[in-house]
C-alpha cells in the first residue's frame, strides 16, 4: 500500500504543548540576552509565559502552524520592500530563533493587552523598542500581513505596529480549519500558508512533509 504524505510537525495538532522548535528558540534567546539588555530577555520571557496560557486557544493552533511552516523552509521566507508576496531571503535565518521571534510578534496582535506598548513595564521592554530588535531577525509586519495574520490600515509598504491589528477572529478560525483539513494534502497546505501558487515553497518546506 502506498504511503500517504502528510504534514507533520513532530507533535499533536491541535497543539497540546509548546512545539520543541519554538521552545528551543526561546531557550537560545535566553542565553543570547542573558548578559545583554535584561528588558529584552524579560519581554521574551513574558511572551513565553503567555504561550503557556494560550494553549487550547484556536488561534494558538493557527499561529503555530504558520510559524512552523515558515521556519521549516530551507530558504527563509521574506516579503521584500514593495512586494506583497513571499520570496527567499538571501541568508537563511536560524529556524528556532526565527520561530521564537515570529510567535513573539504574532502575540503582540493576538494578545495586545499582555504587552507594554509605549513604556517599559515591570522590567519588560516596550513593544516600540522591541520591534527594532525583532525586525532584523526576519520577522516584520509585511510578513504577518502576507500570512493573513494581521489587517493593516493605510497604504504604507512597511506597516507600523499602530496601523496593524489582528484579523477578525472568524476569518482566522476559518483559515485554521482549512489548514487542519489540508494536512493530508501537503502541497495544498504549504501553498495555503504562503498564499502562493509557486510550488517552490513545497520543495523548500519538504522537512514537514512526512510519510504517514
Amino acid at each position: 500500500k502506498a504511503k500517504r504524505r502528510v504534514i507533520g510537525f513532530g507533535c499533536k495538532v491541535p497543539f497540546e504543548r509548546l512545539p520543541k522548535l519554538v521552545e528551543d528558540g526561546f531557550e537560545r534567546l535566553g542565553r543570547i540576552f542573558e548578559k545583554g539588555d535584561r528588558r529584552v530577555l524579560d519581554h521574551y520571557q513574558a511572551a513565553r509565559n503567555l504561550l503557556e496560557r494560550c494553549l487550547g486557544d484556536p488561534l494558538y493552533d493557527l499561529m503555530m502552524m504558520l510559524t512552523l511552516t515558515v521556519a521549516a523552509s530551507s530558504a527563509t521566507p521574506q516579503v521584500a520592500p514593495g512586494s506583497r508576496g513571499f520570496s527567499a531571503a538571501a541568508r537563511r535565518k536560524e529556524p528556532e530563533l526565527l520561530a521564537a521571534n515570529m510567535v513573539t510578534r504574532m502575540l503582540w496582535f493576538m494578545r495586545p493587552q499582555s504587552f507594554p506598548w509605549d513604556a517599559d513595564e515591570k522590567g519588560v521592554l516596550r513593544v516600540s523598542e522591541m520591534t527594532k530588535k525583532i525586525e532584523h531577525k526576519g520577522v516584520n509586519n509585511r510578513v504577518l500581513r502576507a500570512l493573513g495574520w494581521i489587517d493593516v490600515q493605510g497604504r504604507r509598504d512597511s506597516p507600523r505596529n499602530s496601523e496593524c491589528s489582528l484579523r477578525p477572529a472568524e476569518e482566522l478560525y476559518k483559515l485554521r480549519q482549512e489548514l487542519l483539513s489540508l494536512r493530508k494534502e501537503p502541497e495544498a497546505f504549504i501553498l495555503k500558508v504562503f498564499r502562493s501558487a509557486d510550488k517552490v515553497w513545497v520543495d523548500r518546506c519538504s522537512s514537514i512533509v512526512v510519510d504517514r
Side-chain angles (χ1 to χ4, degrees):
K1 188 180 172 184
K3 285 181 177 169
R4 284 201 66 169
R5 310 284 279 163
V6 298
I7 292 290
F9 291 124
C11 54
K12 273 188 175 176
V13 183
F15 295 88
E16 295 175 357
R17 60 179 297 275
L18 189 62
K20 186 175 186 311
L21 184 77
V22 179
E23 191 159 17
D24 289 349
F26 277 107
E27 280 180 12
R28 282 208 41 209
L29 287 167
R31 291 197 294 276
I32 291 167
F33 286 100
E34 205 170 16
K35 294 184 171 64
D37 189 337
R38 181 77 210 183
R39 298 171 306 155
V40 175
L41 184 60
D42 285 350
H43 190 110
Y44 282 125
Q45 193 57 52
R48 170 77 179 76
N49 294 342
L50 182 58
L51 285 172
E52 295 291 337
R53 300 198 296 276
C54 289
L55 265 175
D57 184 331
L59 294 181
Y60 180 101
D61 295 334
L62 176 59
M63 175 170 64
M64 288 303 172
M65 286 191 285
L66 295 174
T67 297
L68 294 175
T69 304
V70 167
S73 178
S74 57
T76 297
Q78 66 169 9
V79 177
S83 168
R84 289 297 173 95
F86 284 99
S87 58
R91 287 180 56 205
R92 189 182 189 210
K93 306 284 181 187
E94 294 180 66
E96 62 268 33
L97 295 180
L98 177 67
N101 277 297
M102 188 164 158
V103 296
T104 298
R105 191 170 198 125
M106 292 172 94
L107 281 170
W108 294 347
F109 302 107
M110 178 176 155
R111 297 283 176 95
Q113 68 283 5
S114 298
F115 294 95
W117 284 81
D118 302 314
D120 296 357
E121 197 175 291
K122 295 178 184 166
V124 175
L125 187 65
R126 59 196 178 277
V127 169
S128 53
E129 284 301 307
M130 196 70 186
T131 302
K132 299 169 190 171
K133 310 278 182 193
I134 286 183
E135 290 284 298
H136 65 279
K137 301 284 194 300
V139 187
N140 54 36
N141 289 335
R142 289 198 304 272
V143 168
L144 298 194
R145 173 173 58 191
L147 287 169
W149 184 251
I150 55 173
D151 277 337
V152 174
Q153 297 289 319
R155 304 175 65 87
R156 196 186 303 274
D157 181 45
S158 294
R160 293 174 177 160
N161 289 333
S162 59
E163 298 168 331
C164 303
S165 57
L166 193 70
R167 258 176 90 200
E170 59 273 16
E171 291 177 28
L172 294 173
Y173 292 154
K174 182 168 173 268
L175 178 57
R176 171 187 179 268
Q177 211 46 53
E178 287 171 345
L179 288 175
L180 286 174
S181 64
L182 285 174
R183 283 177 301 161
K184 291 177 182 171
E185 299 172 51
E187 183 175 298
F189 179 99
I190 291 164
L191 296 180
K192 183 84 183 169
V193 167
F194 290 105
R195 299 166 103 185
S196 169
D198 190 345
K199 292 186 180 177
V200 68
W201 294 110
V202 180
D203 295 332
R204 288 174 179 152
C205 295
S206 60
S207 63
I208 56 169
V209 180
V210 297
D211 288 328
R212 195 170 169 196

